């Protein structure tokens, strides 16, 4: 890499529009080699490839997953690492998403031609070439269900036996395990589960590649040159300051936590390409993007303190919701949305003090932003009452909250989301099948919501929907439900690399068959609110129609179909009546309770 390249130019290699962002199986640049961070799915794939080269029989290795999950990148890396993968007599690597033999052929016809050596008619014939096929799950499903797929019944049986298309991690053995192998990127995630909370060794690895103080780090070396060659400008260069902030481990951990929350709460799928683009956007303000270096230096030299402040990392992280899908998701968990007694007191102090600048030195580790720290008091907007000053005051109050999240002087839990923490703990234990840790989830959180969803009936009674919604008359049914657990040995890992990203909970009516419901974070958070007294409205019931159907199924399979309770609510008074059916004498009775 040229020593004349500027810091901003090295950072631009992370942009979504950079040529480095384009993946193919031919060539793996020095920059990509440096940026590569090994993932568990890569180890699994490499293991299968090495087994194949040592086997006497040709193998088909399926590399399955979704769009943008890194299949092409890892295959490119392994092709660069292992020379035998370039030997066309022994291996053929095919990326179904990008490669086609003929514009006249459909993707399914092309795939049938590629996989012909592994068709039912050809499998028994002697051939040595292994095939590694990168394919999205939807394309694989379309292929095995198409007419061409009828020639590949053994492959189809293997895919079904391994439950590659299903959201499960338990798979059956297949008689063709020695011919077909697979890795499923959808089984892995950009984060891992632990008992103490989720973490991401991969995102951490990417951040360290960009920020580590190393002779081999092109970002760090360009940063040092910038500080040395433009020392005067560097002091007030927000890009330099943002990079220095990002070098701190605790700030990296908080950004990682935000990204994991975005994936869980907003169901955001983050590709490596999108992650690098996000990092670029939190380092480089939009006002400084696409400007040649000389003009950038002039812009930084001429900017006032308010402009400098608006370019700092906290604003780039939390106030750029239009920059990317990741920023949009983070905007939904912005720390300014939290309200705690301690944070409220700090915000009151801003209103009551003559100079709010003092609060930064009191509660923020502000020396981590040295130019901001030394310039705040001389440029304090509290010294003036004009409109511009009032606007700057509001910006600084917001910046205080952001800094209080990222770099407080003393640790605090003002931004902890206890419902999220509990959900992630349950997700870890559910994937581990540690049932003893899940009793509260089953016996309180979900069970309470079942009985309170349509109103609290008490005494094992549940409100049921009969006919049109009523405002004065309601029907209740006796329903006893119990958790239905899958009795398997718990997993022993302390860190889960492969897991399902939502809880699948099953209940059965007493004496009835189990009924399942998938619980993601948004449904779980609603169930906790219901447990605490919230009554779901029409919008909730429409959004979580699967839970409505779950309750309906439990009710229809209920243990007491011969009795209904009717409740009359008028003028604040409630009266109940019991309708029972005596199947011995084939008659009904209606009594007041």
């Amino acid at each position: 890499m040229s020593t004349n390249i500027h810091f901003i130019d090295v950072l631009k290699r992370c942009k979504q529009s950079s040529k480095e962002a384009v993946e193919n199986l031919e060539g793996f640049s020095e920059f990509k080699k440096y940026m590569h961070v090994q993932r568990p799915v890569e180890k699994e794939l490499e293991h299968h490839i090495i087994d194949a080269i040592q086997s006497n029989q040709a193998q088909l290795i399926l590399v399955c997953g979704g769009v943008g999950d890194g299949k092409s990148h890892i295959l490119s890396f392994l092709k660069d690492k292992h020379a035998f993968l370039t030997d066309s007599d022994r291996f053929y690597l095919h990326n179904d998403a990008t490669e086609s033999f003929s514009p006249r052929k459909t993707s399914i016809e092309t795939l049938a031609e590629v996989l012909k050596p592994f068709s039912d008619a050809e499998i028994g014939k002697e051939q040595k070439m292994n095939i590694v096929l990168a394919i999205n799950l939807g394309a694989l499903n379309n292929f095995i269900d198409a007419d061409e797929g009828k020639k590949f019944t053994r492959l189809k049986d293997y895919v079904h036996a391994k439950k590659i298309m299903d959201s499960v991690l338990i798979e059956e053995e297949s008689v063709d395990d020695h011919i077909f192998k697979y890795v499923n990127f959808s089984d892995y995630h950009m984060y891992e589960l632990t008992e103490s909370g989720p973490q991401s060794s991969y995102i951490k690895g990417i951040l360290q590649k960009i920020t580590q103080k190393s002779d081999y780090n092109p970002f760090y070396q360009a940063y040092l040159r910038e500080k040395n060659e433009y020392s005067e400008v560097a002091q007030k260069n927000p890009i330099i300051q943002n990079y220095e902030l990002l070098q701190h481990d605790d700030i990296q951990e908080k950004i990682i936590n935000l990204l994991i929350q975005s994936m869980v709460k907003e169901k955001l799928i983050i590709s490596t390409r999108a992650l690098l683009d996000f990092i670029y956007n939190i380092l480089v303000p939009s006002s400084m993007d696409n400007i040649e270096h000389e003009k950038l230096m002039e812009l930084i030299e001429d900017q006032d303190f308010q402009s400098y402040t608006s370019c700092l990392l906290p604003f780039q992280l939390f106030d750029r919701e239009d920059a990317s899908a990741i920023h949009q998701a983070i905007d939904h968990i912005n720390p300014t949305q939290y309200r705690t007694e301690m944070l409220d007191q700090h915000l009151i102090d801003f209103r009551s003090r003559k100079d709010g600048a003092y609060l930064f030195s009191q509660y923020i580790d502000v020396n981590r932003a040295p130019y901001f720290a030394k310039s705040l008091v001389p440029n304090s907007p509290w010294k003036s009452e004009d409109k511009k000053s009032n606007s700057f005051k509001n910006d600084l109050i917001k910046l205080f909250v952001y800094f209080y999240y990222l770099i407080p002087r003393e640790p605090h839990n003002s931004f902890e989301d206890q419902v999220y923490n509990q959900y992630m703990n349950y997700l870890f234990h559910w994937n581990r099948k540690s049932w003893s840790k899940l009793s509260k989830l089953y016996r309180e959180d979900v069970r309470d919501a079942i009985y309170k969803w349509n109103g609290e009936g008490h005494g094992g009674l549940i409100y049921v929907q009969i006919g049109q919604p009523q405002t004065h008359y309601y029907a209740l049914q006796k329903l006893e439900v119990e958790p239905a657990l899958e009795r398997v040995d718990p997993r022993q890992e302390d860190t889960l690399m492969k897991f399902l990203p939502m809880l699948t909970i099953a209940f059965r009516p007493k004496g009835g068959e189990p009924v399942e419901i998938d619980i993601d974070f948004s449904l779980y958070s609603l169930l906790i609110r219901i447990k605490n007294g919230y009554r779901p409205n029409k919008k909730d019931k429409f959004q979580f129609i699967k839970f409505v159907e779950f309750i309906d199924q439990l009710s229809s399979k209920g243990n007491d179909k011969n009795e209904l309770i009717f409740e009359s609510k008028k003028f604040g008074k409630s009266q109940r009546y019991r309708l029972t059916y005596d199947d011995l004498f084939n008659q009904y009775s209606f009594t007041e309770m």
Side-chain angles (χ1 to χ4, degrees), residues 189-201 203 253-254 256-264 416-417 420-428 494-496 499:
H189 306 271
M190 206 171 261
Y191 59 95
E192 305 89 50
L193 298 178
T194 75
E195 189 164 21
S196 57
Q199 59 190 32
S200 178
S201 54
I203 300 177
E253 289 303 326
K254 284 166 183 170
I256 290 169
N257 182 264
L258 283 170
L259 291 170
I260 296 173
Q261 284 194 58
S262 297
M263 288 183 262
V264 174
E416 286 291 312
D417 184 340
Y420 167 77
N421 292 342
Q422 184 64 74
Y423 178 79
M424 297 310 290
N425 184 262
Y426 284 152
L427 194 61
F428 169 74
D494 292 327
T495 301
L496 301 185
F499 58 88

Side-chain angles (χ1 to χ4, degrees), residues 526-537:
L526 176 64
L527 299 186
I528 295 303
R529 290 169 64 201
I530 292 170
K531 176 185 170 185
N532 294 332
Y534 175 75
R535 180 87 177 265
N537 55 35

Side-chain angles (χ1 to χ4, degrees), residues 161-195:
K162 295 301 178 184
K163 300 183 179 178
I164 295 174
M165 301 296 177
D166 303 329
S167 297
V168 294
L169 295 179
I170 299 167
E171 57 190 43
E172 304 294 332
E173 284 191 18
S174 165
V175 293
D176 286 328
D177 280 350
H178 61 293
I179 299 173
F180 304 120
K181 298 289 171 62
Y182 85 99
V183 294
N184 191 348
F185 276 62
S186 298
D187 291 341
Y188 293 90
H189 306 271
M190 206 171 261
Y191 59 95
E192 305 89 50
L193 298 178
T194 75
E195 189 164 21

Side-chain angles (χ1 to χ4, degrees), residues 402-420:
Y402 295 158
F403 269 148
Y404 196 57
Y405 177 87
L406 292 168
I407 51 170
R409 285 193 69 175
E410 300 293 336
H412 60 86
N413 60 0
S414 294
F415 302 104
E416 286 291 312
D417 184 340
Q418 297 301 335
V419 175
Y420 167 77

